[in-house]
Every structure is written in structure tokens, then in C-alpha cells.
Amino acid sequence: ATQNPITVHFGIWYRQSVEFYNYSDSNGGGGYYKVSTCTGYSDDNINIDPSWMAARAFSILVLILGGIALLLALATCCCANHVHVTNINRFNGGIYLLVTLFQGLTLIILSSKLCQKNDDIRQVMGQENDMYSFPDECNLSEGAKCIISATAFWFLAGILSCTSFRAGRKKMEASLVNTDTPSSVEPLLPS
């Protein structure tokens, strides 16, 4: 066994593929070097369980709804003084909060077969190889930490967008009230 086991990263759609090669130098020494690539699960003959499928579905929904919200936000920038912009901000706030839910539910992958005592992964990665060390459960890597921070940012965007809707509505109501009253108190006809 090696002193420093290799960490292999697994994602919702792709996994890290690692290959080891022996080398020897002219001094009689040698060792291993690793080649790491990104590969899909389609060639691995792995059964994808319902939690894994749900995480994939949520990741697709985040992409679609987040893209729609972005396009709506960009469209409202072009017509900032239009009456319907405040309604679009309210709608966008709802989309952001829905995306928050879906982004957080993507972490359901941690309860899937991929992360819980997965013998298929051990077989695919070659558990008999001394270079690998597989714990029984997944740890949060950079991708999962990005999902957590993205969830927080989607929530913040939703709250701020809904707040923007309320502020815009109050401003519009105030401007409508000000246009109904004359700006000066002088009579229109001289006496």
C-alpha cells in the first residue's frame, strides 16, 4: 500500500479516471506516475439509482430555470422605467427561489448509490490496486462546496429581486399620486 492514497473525484455526470504507469530511471530507482482524465459513466456499466437520477434532473432544472431568469433579468435592464418591469422582477424572484430549492436538492447525490458503499465504483476503479483507497462514504469536494455557495447566492438573488419588486411598486405608486395633484396651488384663472 502507498503512504499517500490517491483521491478520486466523482460527480453527477462524470468521474475522474486515473491510470498509473511504472517508470524506472537510470539510477535503478523508479515509481509510479498517474494520468488523470475526465470520463462519463456510460462505459462503466454502473446502475444509476433513483437518488442519482433525481440529482441529475435537479441539475438540469437549475440550468434551464437559471438561464430563463438570467434572460429575463437582462431583458428588464433594457426597459427599466416600464410598468411591467416590477412584475417581471417579482416573477424572477420566484424563479430564483425555485432554483435555490433545485440547486440544494442536487446534493441528494450524497445519499445515492454513488456515495454509499458502492461496489460498482470499487470494481470500475480497480479496488485491487494498492494505489486506491476508498472510504465507505463520499466527502464534500470542490464541486459540492460550489453547489452550497450557489444555493446561497440563488437565495440571495431571490430575496433581493422580491425586495426590488416591492420598492419599485412603492416608487410607482408614489409617482402616480404626485401626478394627480397640481404642482402649484395658484388658481388657473385670474380673479
Side-chain angles (χ1 to χ4, degrees):
T2 70
Q3 296 170 350
N4 297 324
I6 303 297
T7 301
V8 180
H9 297 276
F10 295 91
I12 295 174
W13 298 95
Y14 297 98
R15 69 173 177 84
Q16 181 181 11
S17 174
V18 181
E19 296 180 21
F20 296 99
Y21 296 96
N22 289 324
Y23 71 89
S24 58
D25 58 16
S26 59
N27 296 332
Y32 291 97
Y33 67 92
K34 82 173 186 176
V35 175
S36 180
T37 59
C38 187
T39 185
Y41 293 104
S42 59
D43 300 333
D44 294 337
N45 211 10
I46 293 177
N47 295 326
I48 298 175
D49 67 343
S51 294
W52 195 348
M53 280 195 223
R56 284 183 166 189
F58 289 130
S59 70
I60 291 170
L61 287 171
V62 166
L63 182 65
I64 292 170
L65 290 176
I68 290 171
L70 174 68
L71 291 176
L72 282 173
L74 291 174
T76 58
C77 289
C78 296
C79 49
N81 292 328
H82 197 269
V83 175
H84 298 291
V85 170
T86 56
N87 291 333
I88 292 173
N89 284 340
R90 179 179 174 193
F91 179 69
N92 232 8
I95 292 177
Y96 291 145
L97 293 174
L98 188 62
V99 172
T100 299
L101 175 69
F102 292 157
Q103 186 75 66
L105 286 173
T106 304
L107 291 175
I108 200 168
I109 190 78
L110 296 173
S111 67
S112 73
K113 183 180 178 182
L114 177 65
C115 288
Q116 304 293 324
K117 299 179 184 177
N118 191 347
D119 293 328
D120 289 342
I121 295 294
R122 292 174 195 266
Q123 182 180 2
V124 166
M125 296 303 294
Q127 180 61 31
E128 65 277 354
N129 190 333
D130 291 343
M131 301 298 280
Y132 293 108
S133 174
F134 286 102
D136 287 336
E137 294 180 359
C138 291
N139 296 322
L140 293 179
S141 67
E142 293 84 11
K145 291 174 185 174
C146 285
I147 288 174
I148 292 168
S149 64
T151 302
F153 284 124
W154 282 119
F155 182 73
L156 183 65
I159 295 300
L160 291 176
S161 187
C162 288
T163 304
S164 167
F165 162 72
R166 287 195 181 108
R169 193 167 84 190
K170 285 180 184 176
K171 182 179 177 183
M172 191 180 335
E173 288 172 357
S175 69
L176 289 175
V177 169
N178 290 338
T179 58
D180 290 343
T181 59
S183 59
S184 67
V185 289
E186 296 177 16
L188 294 176
L189 298 172
S191 22

